[in-house]
Amino acid sequence: TDYPDAAVLNNITRNVELNAVLTRDKQVVVKGLQWGSDVSSILQLIAPPSSSFSSSSVSSSLPPSTDGITTECEQPSMMPVPSVNGFDLVLVSDCLYLLDQHRNLLLSCHQLLSTRPDAQVLVAFGQHHPRMEDKVNAFFDIAAESPFCFHARLLAADMVVNPIIKTPGAKVKVNLYVLTRTAKTTLQTS
């Protein structure tokens, strides 16, 4: 998936066609996805024949943002219940620079990711603007909060040549994180 823009999706479709030898025995579907929107048409692609997803079964409403770290990780009633039929692996590549979209991106990951214990989201991104590092990394603080309740772990970080900057040899820090679902934690009061 990518942003639902015809030019972007046509480019991805062309890349799939050019690499058809790699997907010879696979079904590849290119779809647009606006983060935080209804994902039922994407989940339908992997649903068992007896299942059906409707717009009403997968909500796209987010609870209001909270300040600070929450001590509970409950699924609010307005949040969709993730499905065991979701994806085992969701890839997020160089998307964290859209700071105002962190919650919507996490909502889409939450909705698309299977509830299986080994399901994970791989998040790869470059720190293209060092002064923005704290704001970009805030994504992982939000990911840990309710309703998402993801645990983030850094898998790798390296400095690589930055193709965007015209200065020869300029480097950017590239990170690879894995997000996994945490066990539901609730504080019991007596």
Side-chain angles (χ1 to χ4, degrees):
T1 63
D2 205 320
Y3 187 76
D5 174 79
V8 171
L9 297 177
N10 288 340
N11 186 52
I12 295 171
T13 300
R14 180 69 180 135
N15 286 332
V16 169
E17 291 166 354
L18 290 171
N19 291 286
V21 70
L22 302 173
T23 60
R24 199 170 322 152
D25 300 329
K26 311 286 188 287
Q27 178 187 9
V28 178
V29 178
V30 175
K31 294 206 51 105
L33 173 64
Q34 185 166 339
W35 300 331
S37 67
D38 181 17
V39 299
S40 60
S41 66
I42 295 170
L43 289 173
Q44 187 65 46
L45 295 171
I46 60 169
S50 62
S51 298
S52 68
F53 290 93
S54 67
S55 298
S56 61
S57 68
V58 181
S59 166
S60 63
S61 51
L62 273 173
S65 174
T66 58
D67 294 323
I69 298 172
T70 60
T71 56
E72 294 184 7
C73 232
E74 289 282 338
Q75 295 299 318
S77 59
M78 73 173 106
M79 282 297 290
V81 177
S83 169
V84 73
N85 296 323
F87 291 90
D88 293 332
L89 179 63
V90 174
L91 300 174
V92 175
S93 180
D94 225 6
C95 297
L96 301 190
Y97 64 93
L98 298 166
L99 303 176
D100 64 339
Q101 291 296 308
H102 285 178
R103 286 187 175 279
N104 285 330
L105 175 56
L106 284 162
L107 176 61
S108 292
C109 291
H110 173 77
Q111 291 174 327
L112 291 168
L113 191 66
S114 166
T115 57
R116 291 192 245 323
D118 59 342
Q120 56 189 4
V121 179
L122 289 180
V123 182
F125 65 100
Q127 292 286 4
H128 299 287
H129 306 285
R131 291 182 299 242
M132 302 274 297
E133 190 168 351
D134 289 343
K135 291 180 180 181
V136 169
N137 288 340
F139 173 85
F140 299 103
D141 295 331
I142 297 167
E145 296 174 359
S146 177
F148 310 115
C149 303
F150 284 121
H151 170 73
R153 183 170 51 94
L154 178 66
L155 294 180
D158 202 357
M159 297 298 288
V160 298
V161 174
N162 188 342
I164 296 171
I165 298 175
K166 302 296 182 208
T167 307
K171 293 192 174 191
V172 64
K173 181 179 178 185
V174 175
N175 299 293
L176 177 62
Y177 278 81
V178 62
L179 299 179
T180 53
R181 295 190 187 281
T182 60
K184 184 173 154 182
T185 55
T186 306
L187 294 179
Q188 299 292 328
T189 58
S190 45

